[in-house]
Amino acid sequence: SSLLEEASKRDSPFWDEKHNSKANKLNGLNGLNGLNGDTHNINEKVDIEKRLSSVVDVDTPLNKPDPLDQWYLESVSRNNDNQAINGEAKERISVRIPAGIASLDSRINDPFVLSRPDVHDISATIGNDLVGTDHPVLNSAARYFFSDEDGGKGKGKQVRPVMVMLLSRAIMQEGANTSHLNNHVLKSQRRLAEITEMIHTASLFHDDVIDNADTRRGKPAAHRAFGNKMAILAGDYLLARASICLARLRNVDVVECMSTVIEHLVRGEVLQIKDSRTGVADIEGYLRKNFYKTASLMAYSCKSAAILGAAGSNENVSGEVVEAAYRYGKHIGVAFQLVDDALDFEGSALSLGKPALADLHAGLSTAPVFFAAETHGDELIPAMVRKFEGDCDIELALNCIREADGVRRTKELAAIHAELAIDAVVGALEPSPYRDSLVHLACRVVDRSR
């Protein structure tokens, strides 16, 4: 319990790299012990480390950490329009589209149509080529969400691969690379999209075990089909395979970006476990947890796509473009999770692929609850502490959310982040159908029913 408390602190040295490197040295894990007393080998190892340290600083991250200190909560209005819950919303929240963006056209800039040649067979490639194993049960479990069975509904929306490939194509419009280089870069970016989907799917295996979920993507959760142990092992196996594929991209910056994502997934789960024990957090802490669990993968995948584009000798891929790619993925990820929060109150089990009000029944407080707690804290916070297990707690929460217009405010915050994502790519990328498709993808993330 004390370890969990320490790890869940925002400024905990538990996650500090310098702290960990010192601890490793104290525990004999600095790579110089355990050489059976061979002084020659030790001296040789020290000499190699000295020569490497003069070239590479192995203790300083290449990617500057995001402080995660701006969530734009002050931009959300407090007007109460009594938004409907578990029914049709009275008001549609729309995303502002800047001037100069072509209207949505399925023949030109529809994000899912435009990306189809790049992503249509990603699940098949992962299932057939990247995660094969000679253990039949592990093989079936690892491929569970990548198969064409049940009409392929287990594959999900594949928003992350779509983002990576659209951004990759948009960045390619920035320069005049040769066809040979274009093909090489796109091949690495396509593999990045596959890695992204593998990491995301691994997190679903683990999350569903922790949350004891029954369904995922309209079918039984993996642990219901294969058992807890095999589901966890399948998730671990996907992460291992993703790590191998990542190393083969031969790009240290990208390896660090995507490895950071895996750390963030753990940090997010630690924060959620802590919150589920206490029942109370603040909305900024909740949004930070959502970044770790959802937005980090989108942010660093987009950033990695830009880095790979720059590595392909495209001199027009500047640091500004790489940073814009990160901001696009980050804000899309924040918006995506906020809309998921809202849909949990508005949707049905059929539209969501999981039971409605699943978060409340699991004892989780999400954005609509936190918005409601601002004005109904005296009655709502005790229910949050009880994890909505008391008599009529869920009904109480629904009434508070309805009165505080928590669902609408959640969608409004999602629209704000979608607009920030749009501003990032419009300001950094040259006009093209791919750039415009990224704008329309941001709109789709907010205006969706599942």
Side-chain angles (χ1 to χ4, degrees):
S1 178
S2 60
L3 180 61
L4 177 64
E5 291 291 331
E6 179 61 34
S8 63
K9 293 178 182 176
R10 183 180 181 184
D11 56 352
S12 170
F14 185 90
W15 305 102
D16 184 75
E17 295 186 14
K18 292 183 179 179
H19 169 83
N20 289 335
S21 64
K22 290 178 181 177
N24 286 343
K25 289 178 181 178
L26 289 173
N27 288 304
L29 300 176
N30 59 351
L32 300 181
N33 294 333
L35 294 177
N36 299 320
D38 192 330
T39 306
H40 173 73
N41 286 343
I42 293 176
N43 292 336
E44 184 178 276
K45 184 105 177 178
V46 171
D47 184 56
I48 291 173
E49 287 195 350
K50 284 181 179 179
R51 283 187 279 120
L52 284 175
S53 65
S54 65
V55 179
V56 179
D57 181 358
V58 296
D59 294 318
T60 303
L62 297 170
N63 298 286
K64 184 179 179 181
D66 188 334
L68 302 177
D69 56 1
Q70 180 55 275
W71 300 108
Y72 303 93
L73 293 165
E74 69 282 356
S75 302
V76 179
S77 68
R78 293 175 177 266
N79 295 330
N80 189 337
D81 294 327
N82 288 323
Q83 177 118 359
I85 294 179
N86 286 335
E88 291 298 320
K90 293 182 179 179
E91 177 187 8
R92 170 172 288 184
I93 303 296
S94 59
V95 176
R96 172 189 56 83
I97 298 179
I101 301 299
S103 299
L104 179 64
D105 187 329
S106 61
R107 299 165 300 175
I108 300 173
N109 57 22
D110 183 290
F112 291 96
V113 174
L114 200 57
S115 63
R116 189 173 297 153
D118 289 321
V119 305
H120 76 281
D121 61 344
I122 272 185
S123 289
T125 301
I126 294 173
N128 296 331
D129 300 336
L130 301 184
V131 298
T133 170
D134 55 4
H135 191 292
V137 179
L138 179 59
N139 199 41
S140 297
R143 292 175 171 176
Y144 187 58
F145 288 123
F146 300 116
S147 71
D148 290 321
E149 296 178 4
D150 301 323
K153 63 183 180 181
K155 296 177 182 178
K157 296 176 281 292
Q158 296 190 331
V159 171
R160 293 154 192 84
V162 168
M163 289 172 62
V164 168
M165 294 314 301
L166 289 177
L167 190 60
S168 299
R169 294 281 187 179
I171 289 172
M172 191 166 289
Q173 312 302 308
E174 299 289 301
N177 284 343
T178 66
S179 176
H180 171 72
L181 284 176
N182 279 349
N183 291 336
H184 173 74
V185 172
L186 274 174
K187 183 178 179 180
S188 65
Q189 290 165 327
R190 153 78 185 219
R191 180 51 48 88
L192 172 66
E194 294 163 351
I195 292 167
T196 299
E197 191 68 2
M198 291 165 71
I199 293 174
H200 171 59
T201 304
S203 73
L204 301 184
F205 279 95
H206 292 159
D207 285 357
D208 286 346
V209 172
I210 293 171
D211 299 338
N212 198 31
D214 291 320
T215 59
R216 171 70 68 173
R217 295 176 175 175
K219 59 193 295 185
H223 68 284
R224 297 298 184 200
F226 301 98
N228 285 352
K229 291 181 180 179
M230 189 54 64
I232 291 171
L233 287 173
D236 291 347
Y237 180 69
L238 282 176
L239 287 177
R241 292 298 305 168
S243 298
I244 292 171
C245 295
L246 182 61
R248 289 174 180 166
L249 292 178
R250 312 304 201 260
N251 189 300
V252 176
D253 287 15
V254 171
V255 170
E256 183 175 310
C257 279
M258 301 306 291
S259 299
T260 300
V261 170
I262 298 175
E263 178 194 322
H264 284 174
L265 289 172
V266 178
R267 294 186 72 162
E269 203 57 55
V270 168
L271 288 173
Q272 181 156 303
I273 291 172
K274 177 179 179 291
D275 292 345
S276 70
R277 289 186 178 184
T278 63
V280 178
D282 59 89
I283 191 166
E284 290 191 4
Y286 172 74
L287 291 169
R288 192 177 305 114
K289 183 261 294 181
N290 281 354
F291 171 82
Y292 289 140
K293 291 195 61 163
T294 302
S296 174
L297 178 56
M298 294 185 175
Y300 282 108
S301 296
C302 289
K303 182 175 183 177
S304 296
I307 291 171
L308 290 172
S313 300
N314 188 341
E315 297 177 355
N316 292 308
V317 181
S318 63
E320 178 188 355
V321 171
V322 173
E323 177 60 24
Y326 172 84
R327 286 189 285 117
Y328 178 81
K330 171 187 175 179
H331 291 298
I332 289 292
V334 173
F336 190 93
Q337 186 57 52
L338 286 168
V339 172
D340 267 6
D341 290 351
L343 290 177
D344 194 51
F345 292 90
E346 288 186 340
S348 65
L350 182 62
S351 65
L352 298 176
K354 61 180 181 180
L357 301 179
D359 292 328
L360 283 183
H361 285 291
L364 299 176
S365 299
T366 57
V369 176
F370 285 113
F371 279 125
E374 292 178 358
T375 53
H376 296 71
D378 290 344
E379 49 189 324
L380 187 53
I381 289 177
M384 294 164 68
V385 172
R386 291 191 296 269
K387 296 186 290 185
F388 309 106
E389 292 179 349
D391 293 340
C392 302
D393 275 355
I394 289 181
E395 183 180 351
L396 168 68
L398 292 176
N399 288 333
C400 292
I401 292 166
R402 185 179 293 108
E403 291 175 7
D405 215 5
V407 172
R408 184 196 60 78
R409 294 176 68 193
T410 298
K411 286 187 171 183
E412 188 175 329
L413 183 59
I416 290 168
H417 281 277
E419 290 172 2
L420 290 166
I422 290 170
D423 290 343
V425 292
V426 170
L429 298 177
E430 293 295 326
S432 73
Y434 291 102
R435 185 200 67 172
D436 291 355
S437 71
L438 290 167
V439 172
H440 293 301
L441 179 62
C443 297
R444 289 274 188 92
V445 163
V446 174
D447 187 18
R448 61 189 172 96
S449 59
R450 62 182 292 270

